[in-house]
Amino acid sequence: MIGEHELNLEPIGAAQFLWLHRQGVSASLLASMSPLQVATGYRDSDGRFEPGPGEPFVVFEEPEDLIFWQPKTDELLTWTGRAFALNEAHIWNPATYSFDANLNVFSDVLGWLRADCDGVVIVDWSRAFDELREAPRIAIAETLLKTYRTWMQPRRLPALSVIPNTERCAA
């Protein structure tokens, strides 16, 4: 038991598979992601996924977390809050930037899937500066530009004091 309800993952159904394919996601990508799974639940008061009655969410595994995507609303939730982005290993993979390529940041999961998962979808923008500042090149969806500029700065800077110059100049 986790929380009030147990997490019950089920294979994605044929109707959901066909819907994704009709939205422009390649069947070969969907097959390579097999077994894609779904879980039914809702956003809990802590902002995380809570299993139980609700909508079906597609589940993506990250190394330290699960990310839940609700295709109707494009809502993204995490299981533990550890994941920063969908496909976050892409951020630190040197191949991402080879041949002057960029880290692609998509505004939604469907766009990311249509691009064969070549990039990331940010789940927690409050961690963007710390997680992305070492990336040499980023290409971002135009719709995210304002969000990117808002969050791509340190959360806080240290308090600054100035030490006065005590050296005397010879006249």
Side-chain angles (χ1 to χ4, degrees):
M1 282 297 254
I2 301 171
E4 187 178 320
H5 301 94
E6 186 176 330
L7 182 60
N8 183 22
L9 298 176
E10 298 179 4
I12 194 167
Q16 293 160 319
F17 184 96
L18 287 172
W19 182 85
L20 287 167
H21 186 60
R22 285 188 198 116
Q23 302 306 308
V25 180
S26 76
S28 60
L29 173 70
L30 292 170
S32 73
M33 297 176 86
S34 184
L36 262 178
Q37 298 182 313
V38 295
T40 302
Y42 56 92
R43 174 189 286 271
D44 200 5
S45 59
D46 63 2
R48 296 195 183 128
F49 181 81
E50 179 65 31
E55 295 292 325
F57 284 74
V58 177
V59 182
F60 298 98
E61 287 187 47
E62 285 297 315
E64 296 182 6
D65 207 345
L66 296 174
I67 294 179
F68 299 83
W69 171 53
Q70 209 308 302
K72 290 180 189 173
T73 63
D74 207 34
E75 185 172 33
L76 284 172
L77 304 173
T78 65
W79 182 250
T80 64
R82 291 185 186 126
F84 151 73
L86 185 55
N87 202 25
E88 62 187 47
H90 210 65
I91 297 167
W92 302 285
N93 184 346
T96 299
Y97 310 100
S98 62
F99 304 107
D100 292 327
N102 302 305
L103 170 66
N104 299 317
V105 179
F106 291 90
S107 61
D108 58 63
V109 175
L110 204 48
W112 173 74
L113 288 168
R114 287 178 183 137
D116 291 330
C117 306
D118 182 24
V120 298
V121 180
I122 306 299
V123 177
D124 183 358
W125 277 99
S126 71
R127 294 168 46 197
F129 179 80
D130 292 331
E131 300 289 344
L132 297 176
R133 67 179 165 182
E134 301 297 329
R137 289 173 300 283
I138 293 176
I140 192 157
E142 187 175 4
T143 57
L144 288 176
L145 199 51
K146 183 177 179 184
T147 303
Y148 178 84
R149 288 184 174 144
T150 298
W151 289 104
M152 278 305 288
Q153 49 190 311
R155 290 185 206 179
R156 68 170 203 78
L157 292 170
L160 181 65
S161 299
V162 176
I163 301 171
N165 187 354
T166 58
E167 294 179 14
R168 304 228 179 221
C169 295

